[in-house]
Amino acid sequence: MKNFRPISCCNTLYKIIAKIIANRIKPCFTNIINPSQSAFVAGRSIGDNILLVQELMRNYHKDVGWPKLTLKVDLINAFDMVD
């Protein structure tokens, strides 16, 4: 009994509470999440955004129109955490 550490149960309790909260607010997600957000949302595909970016970048190198800016975000860490 002296080796019992209740702190070790915190992670499990946190996961249970987080799952309950997530399931309760799931119906509100369509109002909260922007339609352009497609990764990690049920019913949406990240491939759609890849096609959109390819279409936008087609004539990006031309010096016509407004000034342009492109950001490349490294998502490797985000995908490493998904089981």
Side-chain angles (χ1 to χ4, degrees):
M1 188 66 179
K2 63 183 176 183
N3 290 332
F4 179 71
R5 294 183 179 92
I7 193 74
S8 64
C9 297
C10 289
N11 193 23
T12 305
L13 184 61
Y14 165 76
K15 287 181 180 181
I16 293 170
I17 293 171
K19 189 70 170 179
I20 291 170
I21 292 171
N23 285 336
R24 286 189 175 189
I25 64 171
K26 191 180 258 186
C28 301
F29 282 165
T30 55
N31 298 331
I32 297 171
I33 298 175
N34 192 323
S36 64
Q37 172 69 35
S38 62
F40 309 113
V41 178
R44 298 184 191 173
S45 173
I46 195 168
D48 295 339
N49 280 357
I50 293 169
L51 294 173
L52 177 65
V53 168
Q54 287 177 344
E55 186 69 26
L56 291 172
M57 298 298 289
R58 180 176 293 170
N59 294 319
Y60 198 78
H61 62 284
K62 295 181 180 178
D63 289 333
V64 179
W66 295 90
K68 301 168 186 82
L69 172 72
T70 303
L71 298 175
K72 181 181 177 187
V73 180
D74 186 10
L75 296 176
I76 290 175
N77 290 336
F79 285 109
D80 285 345
M81 301 188 94
V82 176
D83 290 333

